[in-house]
């Protein structure tokens, strides 16, 4: 994907906010590096047409909630451009299982039998990773290769919105990324922090954080509706899906 293709593929609602970084030398270097990695036979996830999926499903003017992740999942067939989300037919990852557990405890929402979060994204939940690609089997392999400037610009664009939004920042990485935006912590937005939902840290404060109900209470109080966290179309999952 060349720098020109990057600019052309950015959804229209995000184009103005991202154009400066996409026109920068770092974006061209990222595109050239990705092309070289693929030419060398390395498997890169997600597929090219899914790398900006979070921006496609959640236009800038529709963003109400931001949930930040680090990398796409690095297993075959998992990643599809949304943080914490996997494609239909793929086993729900441990961190997402814990997200579903907290959602059930907080809002009495039963987990679906899948890990696809497009239902949230289409309602204005921006599910954005820090790096938008990864090499198969190598977590973190595309960090500090140039994606950060692009995703930082996306976060800053949401922070600049006049409409109040909610930032759900789980883990030190997400907190550092979002709170580096000047003034975000003291802005009109609601910023909620908690440990990462990973099995290694979820019991340190993610469980019981009640971020989902707090987000909806804030949005409703500011006339922005609420997020339907339950995927009604898919129906509830079984108990085994969150164990």
């Amino acid at each position: 994907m060349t720098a020109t293709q990057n600019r052309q593929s950015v959804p229209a609602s995000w184009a103005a906010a991202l154009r400066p970084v996409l026109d920068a030398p770092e974006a061209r270097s990222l595109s050239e590096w990705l092309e070289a990695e693929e030419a060398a036979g390395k498997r890169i996830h997600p597929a090219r047409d899914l790398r900006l999926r979070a921006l496609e499903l959640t236009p800038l003017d529709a963003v109400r909630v931001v949930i930040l992740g680090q990398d796409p999942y690095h297993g075959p067939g998992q990643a599809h451009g949304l943080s914490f989300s996997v494609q239909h037919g793929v086993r729900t990852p441990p961190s997402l299982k814990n997200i579903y557990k907290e959602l059930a405890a907080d809002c009495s929402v039963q987990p679906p039998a899948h890990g696809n979060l497009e239902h949230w994204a289409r309602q204005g939940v921006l599910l954005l990773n820090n790096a938008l690609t990864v090499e198969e089997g190598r977590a973190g392999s595309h960090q500090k290769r140039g994606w950060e400037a692009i995703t930082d610009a996306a976060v800053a664009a949401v922070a600049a919105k006049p409409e109040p939004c909610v930032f759900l920042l789980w883990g030190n990485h997400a907190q550092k990324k979002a709170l580096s935006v000047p003034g975000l912590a003291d802005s009109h937005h609601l910023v909620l922090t908690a440990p990462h939902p990973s099995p290694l840290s979820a019991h340190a404060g993610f469980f019981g954080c009640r971020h989902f109900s707090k987000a909806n209470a804030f949005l409703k109080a500011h006339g922005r509706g609420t997020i339907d966290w339950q995927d009604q179309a898919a129906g509830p999952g079984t108990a085994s899906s969150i164990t």
Side-chain angles (χ1 to χ4, degrees):
M1 184 184 298
T2 66
T4 298
Q5 289 172 324
N6 266 333
R7 290 193 296 272
Q8 291 175 342
S9 60
V10 170
S13 72
W14 292 94
L18 301 186
R19 185 174 296 114
V21 293
L22 292 176
D23 286 338
E26 291 79 6
R28 291 194 293 273
S29 296
L30 170 64
S31 294
E32 292 169 358
W33 180 77
L34 285 171
E35 289 182 345
E37 291 289 280
E38 291 177 323
K42 295 182 179 180
R43 295 178 180 270
I44 308 300
H45 300 300
R48 291 190 183 195
D49 61 342
L50 294 175
R51 291 172 188 173
L52 300 179
R53 187 65 170 159
L55 305 182
E56 293 172 359
L57 291 180
T58 313
L60 177 56
D61 58 3
V63 175
R64 294 189 285 168
V65 177
V66 177
I67 299 177
L68 300 176
Q70 281 188 260
D71 291 316
Y73 294 113
H74 54 83
Q78 290 182 301
H80 65 127
L82 306 179
S83 62
F84 294 102
S85 180
V86 291
Q87 301 196 61
H88 284 288
V90 175
R91 185 174 182 177
T92 303
S95 291
L96 183 53
K97 287 183 180 181
N98 285 338
I99 291 171
Y100 283 165
K101 286 181 181 179
E102 174 58 23
L103 184 55
D106 184 17
C107 302
S108 298
V109 169
Q110 293 305 305
H114 61 79
N116 189 304
L117 301 179
E118 288 191 4
H119 173 70
W120 295 3
R122 295 181 189 278
Q123 296 180 77
V125 181
L126 179 64
L127 297 162
L128 187 69
N129 279 315
N130 185 49
L132 301 187
T133 55
V134 69
E135 182 182 342
E136 184 171 301
R138 294 188 61 213
S141 54
H142 289 191
Q143 296 285 346
K144 299 182 180 179
R145 288 290 183 175
W147 281 121
E148 289 82 359
I150 297 170
T151 55
D152 284 354
V155 173
V158 177
K161 284 167 58 73
E163 304 90 355
C165 298
V166 182
F167 288 77
L168 303 184
L169 308 179
W170 301 332
N172 293 332
H173 189 277
Q175 292 160 24
K176 181 179 179 180
K177 183 177 183 69
L179 294 177
S180 67
V181 176
L184 176 60
D186 300 316
S187 69
H188 57 293
H189 302 299
L190 177 63
V191 179
L192 299 175
T193 62
H196 195 276
S198 161
L200 297 176
S201 55
H203 289 280
F206 177 77
F207 289 140
C209 69
R210 300 191 63 211
H211 279 186
F212 301 100
S213 61
K214 290 176 181 178
N216 270 348
F218 178 84
L219 292 173
K220 185 175 182 179
H222 288 82
R224 303 212 66 202
T226 58
I227 304 298
D228 178 10
W229 302 109
Q230 176 73 66
D231 190 344
Q232 302 289 350
T238 63
S240 61
S241 65
I242 59 170
T243 57

